[in-house]
Amino acid sequence: MRSSVIPLVIVGALVAVSLASCQSSKQSTTQVVAQRDTSIPPNAIPAAKVDPRLLRYTFYFKMLASDTHPADEIFIDTSGQMRFNTHQQMKSGIWKTPTGFAYIEPADDDTLTYFVRKESLFVIDPSDVSPECPNGDIMYISFYRPDLKKEIRLKTNTCAEEYNLLTGEQRKLFPMLLAYVQRLAQRYRPLFPDSP
């Protein structure tokens, strides 16, 4: 009789251990899932990420002439094609209007794409970037993203690099954008050869 009782006790103990381990693993799984769920706010929708290959935009920049540079006008689209209109005074005193066509170089294109992808730039209040500045060069900047159906159009000046009413990310990005478009104008400005 003892010999039959011992195996039943052993089997009962094994079943109890097995059930206990299943129950504890179930509880630990439930706890892990609960911990994951509590880290995500209810009804949260993750921000949509734009695939760089699908990003489309048009970019326009115009700077009025000043004592230090001619009037410049630049159009760039997603393909990297650039049309650049400018003015040039020849040595003879005659003014000409060179128009250049080029592809923006990869490093400059990457920088432009960086700015275009920043949705915070699309909600800048134009009055925040138009300080009164007697010596600042006047600039017009606009870009459009069809996926957002948003366009930004700003009239600003070079003083806004330092003096603006922006806050947060906008305050950091906007001076960088102004410096970038001025570099574009200097780098890609087409010129006619001028004989002495």
mmCIF file of all heavy atoms in Angstrom, residues 123-150:
data_model
loop_
_atom_site.group_PDB
_atom_site.id
_atom_site.type_symbol
_atom_site.label_atom_id
_atom_site.label_comp_id
_atom_site.label_asym_id
_atom_site.label_seq_id
_atom_site.Cartn_x
_atom_site.Cartn_y
_atom_site.Cartn_z
ATOM 1 N N VAL A 123 4.649 76.551 -39.054
ATOM 2 C CA VAL A 123 3.692 77.278 -38.214
ATOM 3 C C VAL A 123 4.296 78.554 -37.633
ATOM 4 O O VAL A 123 3.789 79.101 -36.661
ATOM 5 C CB VAL A 123 3.156 76.369 -37.081
ATOM 6 C CG1 VAL A 123 2.279 75.273 -37.659
ATOM 7 C CG2 VAL A 123 4.264 75.770 -36.249
ATOM 8 N N ILE A 124 5.364 79.032 -38.252
ATOM 9 C CA ILE A 124 5.960 80.302 -37.804
ATOM 10 C C ILE A 124 5.010 81.449 -38.123
ATOM 11 O O ILE A 124 4.478 81.550 -39.233
ATOM 12 C CB ILE A 124 7.328 80.534 -38.485
ATOM 13 C CG1 ILE A 124 8.368 79.575 -37.907
ATOM 14 C CG2 ILE A 124 7.787 81.975 -38.325
ATOM 15 C CD1 ILE A 124 9.741 79.694 -38.556
ATOM 16 N N ASP A 125 4.807 82.298 -37.159
ATOM 17 C CA ASP A 125 4.023 83.512 -37.371
ATOM 18 C C ASP A 125 4.937 84.530 -38.054
ATOM 19 O O ASP A 125 5.988 84.888 -37.508
ATOM 20 C CB ASP A 125 3.550 84.050 -36.020
ATOM 21 C CG ASP A 125 2.657 85.272 -36.154
ATOM 22 O OD1 ASP A 125 2.719 85.967 -37.189
ATOM 23 O OD2 ASP A 125 1.904 85.538 -35.202
ATOM 24 N N PRO A 126 4.582 85.001 -39.264
ATOM 25 C CA PRO A 126 5.450 85.942 -39.977
ATOM 26 C C PRO A 126 5.845 87.170 -39.168
ATOM 27 O O PRO A 126 6.939 87.709 -39.336
ATOM 28 C CB PRO A 126 4.622 86.334 -41.205
ATOM 29 C CG PRO A 126 3.711 85.170 -41.430
ATOM 30 C CD PRO A 126 3.399 84.640 -40.055
ATOM 31 N N SER A 127 4.962 87.626 -38.278
ATOM 32 C CA SER A 127 5.291 88.814 -37.484
ATOM 33 C C SER A 127 6.424 88.542 -36.490
ATOM 34 O O SER A 127 7.075 89.474 -36.023
ATOM 35 C CB SER A 127 4.057 89.315 -36.737
ATOM 36 O OG SER A 127 3.615 88.346 -35.801
ATOM 37 N N ASP A 128 6.688 87.264 -36.187
ATOM 38 C CA ASP A 128 7.767 86.926 -35.248
ATOM 39 C C ASP A 128 9.149 86.991 -35.886
ATOM 40 O O ASP A 128 10.157 86.947 -35.182
ATOM 41 C CB ASP A 128 7.563 85.512 -34.678
ATOM 42 C CG ASP A 128 6.406 85.459 -33.695
ATOM 43 O OD1 ASP A 128 5.954 86.529 -33.243
ATOM 44 O OD2 ASP A 128 5.944 84.338 -33.386
ATOM 45 N N VAL A 129 9.197 87.072 -37.215
ATOM 46 C CA VAL A 129 10.508 87.055 -37.889
ATOM 47 C C VAL A 129 10.688 88.269 -38.803
ATOM 48 O O VAL A 129 11.433 88.218 -39.777
ATOM 49 C CB VAL A 129 10.701 85.748 -38.698
ATOM 50 C CG1 VAL A 129 10.804 84.563 -37.769
ATOM 51 C CG2 VAL A 129 9.589 85.541 -39.723
ATOM 52 N N SER A 130 10.011 89.357 -38.466
ATOM 53 C CA SER A 130 10.176 90.577 -39.273
ATOM 54 C C SER A 130 10.489 91.763 -38.371
ATOM 55 O O SER A 130 9.688 92.684 -38.239
ATOM 56 C CB SER A 130 8.922 90.838 -40.107
ATOM 57 O OG SER A 130 7.786 90.844 -39.282
ATOM 58 N N PRO A 131 11.671 91.726 -37.753
ATOM 59 C CA PRO A 131 12.034 92.839 -36.872
ATOM 60 C C PRO A 131 12.315 94.110 -37.667
ATOM 61 O O PRO A 131 12.682 94.049 -38.841
ATOM 62 C CB PRO A 131 13.312 92.333 -36.184
ATOM 63 C CG PRO A 131 13.906 91.381 -37.162
ATOM 64 C CD PRO A 131 12.746 90.731 -37.852
ATOM 65 N N GLU A 132 12.120 95.241 -37.021
ATOM 66 C CA GLU A 132 12.487 96.514 -37.639
ATOM 67 C C GLU A 132 14.005 96.587 -37.684
ATOM 68 O O GLU A 132 14.671 96.471 -36.652
ATOM 69 C CB GLU A 132 11.920 97.685 -36.825
ATOM 70 C CG GLU A 132 10.409 97.745 -36.798
ATOM 71 C CD GLU A 132 9.814 97.976 -38.174
ATOM 72 O OE1 GLU A 132 10.434 98.702 -38.981
ATOM 73 O OE2 GLU A 132 8.734 97.433 -38.444
ATOM 74 N N CYS A 133 14.544 96.739 -38.871
ATOM 75 C CA CYS A 133 15.996 96.667 -39.013
ATOM 76 C C CYS A 133 16.416 97.523 -40.203
ATOM 77 O O CYS A 133 16.205 97.123 -41.346
ATOM 78 C CB CYS A 133 16.397 95.211 -39.219
ATOM 79 S SG CYS A 133 18.152 94.950 -39.405
ATOM 80 N N PRO A 134 16.986 98.688 -39.984
ATOM 81 C CA PRO A 134 17.318 99.577 -41.106
ATOM 82 C C PRO A 134 18.414 99.037 -42.010
ATOM 83 O O PRO A 134 18.470 99.386 -43.190
ATOM 84 C CB PRO A 134 17.770 100.868 -40.415
ATOM 85 C CG PRO A 134 18.173 100.462 -39.042
ATOM 86 C CD PRO A 134 17.333 99.271 -38.690
ATOM 87 N N ASN A 135 19.287 98.199 -41.478
ATOM 88 C CA ASN A 135 20.417 97.724 -42.288
ATOM 89 C C ASN A 135 20.288 96.270 -42.756
ATOM 90 O O ASN A 135 21.185 95.744 -43.384
ATOM 91 C CB ASN A 135 21.715 97.845 -41.474
ATOM 92 C CG ASN A 135 21.987 99.282 -41.079
ATOM 93 O OD1 ASN A 135 21.753 100.196 -41.865
ATOM 94 N ND2 ASN A 135 22.443 99.494 -39.857
ATOM 95 N N GLY A 136 19.194 95.619 -42.458
ATOM 96 C CA GLY A 136 19.045 94.204 -42.815
ATOM 97 C C GLY A 136 18.632 94.023 -44.263
ATOM 98 O O GLY A 136 17.850 94.805 -44.808
ATOM 99 N N ASP A 137 19.166 92.987 -44.889
ATOM 100 C CA ASP A 137 18.778 92.656 -46.263
ATOM 101 C C ASP A 137 17.424 91.951 -46.242
ATOM 102 O O ASP A 137 17.214 91.010 -45.473
ATOM 103 C CB ASP A 137 19.819 91.740 -46.904
ATOM 104 C CG ASP A 137 21.169 92.439 -47.067
ATOM 105 O OD1 ASP A 137 21.169 93.674 -47.241
ATOM 106 O OD2 ASP A 137 22.201 91.750 -47.020
ATOM 107 N N ILE A 138 16.516 92.387 -47.114
ATOM 108 C CA ILE A 138 15.162 91.829 -47.134
ATOM 109 C C ILE A 138 15.146 90.529 -47.924
ATOM 110 O O ILE A 138 15.708 90.441 -49.027
ATOM 111 C CB ILE A 138 14.168 92.841 -47.732
ATOM 112 C CG1 ILE A 138 14.105 94.071 -46.828
ATOM 113 C CG2 ILE A 138 12.785 92.222 -47.893
ATOM 114 C CD1 ILE A 138 13.289 95.203 -47.379
ATOM 115 N N MET A 139 14.481 89.504 -47.341
ATOM 116 C CA MET A 139 14.409 88.191 -47.968
ATOM 117 C C MET A 139 12.977 87.689 -47.950
ATOM 118 O O MET A 139 12.217 87.976 -47.021
ATOM 119 C CB MET A 139 15.277 87.188 -47.194
ATOM 120 C CG MET A 139 16.754 87.457 -47.258
ATOM 121 S SD MET A 139 17.687 86.184 -46.368
ATOM 122 C CE MET A 139 17.525 86.782 -44.702
ATOM 123 N N TYR A 140 12.638 86.916 -48.983
ATOM 124 C CA TYR A 140 11.366 86.208 -49.053
ATOM 125 C C TYR A 140 11.691 84.716 -49.127
ATOM 126 O O TYR A 140 12.506 84.296 -49.953
ATOM 127 C CB TYR A 140 10.579 86.620 -50.295
ATOM 128 C CG TYR A 140 10.186 88.075 -50.301
ATOM 129 C CD1 TYR A 140 11.060 89.044 -50.797
ATOM 130 C CD2 TYR A 140 8.951 88.484 -49.822
ATOM 131 C CE1 TYR A 140 10.713 90.386 -50.801
ATOM 132 C CE2 TYR A 140 8.592 89.832 -49.821
ATOM 133 C CZ TYR A 140 9.470 90.769 -50.317
ATOM 134 O OH TYR A 140 9.128 92.092 -50.315
ATOM 135 N N ILE A 141 11.061 83.944 -48.266
ATOM 136 C CA ILE A 141 11.285 82.500 -48.242
ATOM 137 C C ILE A 141 9.933 81.815 -48.249
ATOM 138 O O ILE A 141 9.036 82.186 -47.495
ATOM 139 C CB ILE A 141 12.060 82.060 -46.977
ATOM 140 C CG1 ILE A 141 13.438 82.725 -46.930
ATOM 141 C CG2 ILE A 141 12.198 80.540 -46.922
ATOM 142 C CD1 ILE A 141 14.175 82.505 -45.618
ATOM 143 N N SER A 142 9.785 80.818 -49.121
ATOM 144 C CA SER A 142 8.575 80.004 -49.049
ATOM 145 C C SER A 142 8.921 78.577 -49.451
ATOM 146 O O SER A 142 9.798 78.353 -50.280
ATOM 147 C CB SER A 142 7.464 80.557 -49.945
ATOM 148 O OG SER A 142 7.739 80.325 -51.291
ATOM 149 N N PHE A 143 8.273 77.634 -48.795
ATOM 150 C CA PHE A 143 8.336 76.254 -49.259
ATOM 151 C C PHE A 143 7.024 75.561 -48.980
ATOM 152 O O PHE A 143 6.263 75.955 -48.103
ATOM 153 C CB PHE A 143 9.544 75.469 -48.733
ATOM 154 C CG PHE A 143 9.911 75.681 -47.298
ATOM 155 C CD1 PHE A 143 9.434 74.858 -46.304
ATOM 156 C CD2 PHE A 143 10.788 76.696 -46.933
ATOM 157 C CE1 PHE A 143 9.810 75.030 -44.985
ATOM 158 C CE2 PHE A 143 11.164 76.876 -45.624
ATOM 159 C CZ PHE A 143 10.676 76.032 -44.640
ATOM 160 N N TYR A 144 6.766 74.546 -49.794
ATOM 161 C CA TYR A 144 5.470 73.874 -49.775
ATOM 162 C C TYR A 144 5.676 72.371 -49.749
ATOM 163 O O TYR A 144 6.529 71.851 -50.463
ATOM 164 C CB TYR A 144 4.677 74.259 -51.023
ATOM 165 C CG TYR A 144 3.380 73.493 -51.180
ATOM 166 C CD1 TYR A 144 2.308 73.706 -50.320
ATOM 167 C CD2 TYR A 144 3.232 72.550 -52.193
ATOM 168 C CE1 TYR A 144 1.119 72.994 -50.455
ATOM 169 C CE2 TYR A 144 2.045 71.841 -52.340
ATOM 170 C CZ TYR A 144 0.998 72.072 -51.466
ATOM 171 O OH TYR A 144 -0.164 71.359 -51.596
ATOM 172 N N ARG A 145 4.888 71.689 -48.892
ATOM 173 C CA ARG A 145 4.892 70.225 -48.852
ATOM 174 C C ARG A 145 3.491 69.725 -49.152
ATOM 175 O O ARG A 145 2.568 69.948 -48.366
ATOM 176 C CB ARG A 145 5.331 69.733 -47.472
ATOM 177 C CG ARG A 145 6.815 69.541 -47.372
ATOM 178 C CD ARG A 145 7.239 69.000 -46.050
ATOM 179 N NE ARG A 145 6.579 67.765 -45.680
ATOM 180 C CZ ARG A 145 6.782 67.127 -44.527
ATOM 181 N NH1 ARG A 145 7.643 67.620 -43.652
ATOM 182 N NH2 ARG A 145 6.152 66.027 -44.242
ATOM 183 N N PRO A 146 3.313 69.042 -50.297
ATOM 184 C CA PRO A 146 1.970 68.565 -50.643
ATOM 185 C C PRO A 146 1.410 67.549 -49.649
ATOM 186 O O PRO A 146 0.206 67.479 -49.449
ATOM 187 C CB PRO A 146 2.141 67.926 -52.024
ATOM 188 C CG PRO A 146 3.523 68.207 -52.470
ATOM 189 C CD PRO A 146 4.291 68.792 -51.341
ATOM 190 N N ASP A 147 2.274 66.742 -49.023
ATOM 191 C CA ASP A 147 1.766 65.729 -48.094
ATOM 192 C C ASP A 147 1.131 66.374 -46.863
ATOM 193 O O ASP A 147 0.186 65.845 -46.295
ATOM 194 C CB ASP A 147 2.872 64.748 -47.680
ATOM 195 C CG ASP A 147 4.012 65.433 -46.932
ATOM 196 O OD1 ASP A 147 4.486 66.477 -47.416
ATOM 197 O OD2 ASP A 147 4.426 64.938 -45.875
ATOM 198 N N LEU A 148 1.651 67.530 -46.450
ATOM 199 C CA LEU A 148 1.060 68.261 -45.324
ATOM 200 C C LEU A 148 -0.015 69.240 -45.786
ATOM 201 O O LEU A 148 -0.780 69.751 -44.982
ATOM 202 C CB LEU A 148 2.134 69.060 -44.579
ATOM 203 C CG LEU A 148 3.247 68.293 -43.889
ATOM 204 C CD1 LEU A 148 4.237 69.264 -43.267
ATOM 205 C CD2 LEU A 148 2.689 67.363 -42.838
ATOM 206 N N LYS A 149 -0.006 69.524 -47.097
ATOM 207 C CA LYS A 149 -0.859 70.574 -47.658
ATOM 208 C C LYS A 149 -0.607 71.881 -46.923
ATOM 209 O O LYS A 149 -1.522 72.625 -46.587
ATOM 210 C CB LYS A 149 -2.329 70.173 -47.598
ATOM 211 C CG LYS A 149 -2.621 68.972 -48.476
ATOM 212 C CD LYS A 149 -4.068 68.606 -48.494
ATOM 213 C CE LYS A 149 -4.268 67.422 -49.420
ATOM 214 N NZ LYS A 149 -5.602 66.851 -49.342
ATOM 215 N N LYS A 150 0.672 72.132 -46.658
ATOM 216 C CA LYS A 150 1.051 73.347 -45.940
ATOM 217 C C LYS A 150 2.130 74.083 -46.720
ATOM 218 O O LYS A 150 3.001 73.477 -47.335
ATOM 219 C CB LYS A 150 1.604 73.001 -44.557
ATOM 220 C CG LYS A 150 0.562 72.589 -43.550
ATOM 221 C CD LYS A 150 1.176 72.422 -42.185
ATOM 222 C CE LYS A 150 0.134 72.042 -41.155
ATOM 223 N NZ LYS A 150 0.722 71.845 -39.830
#
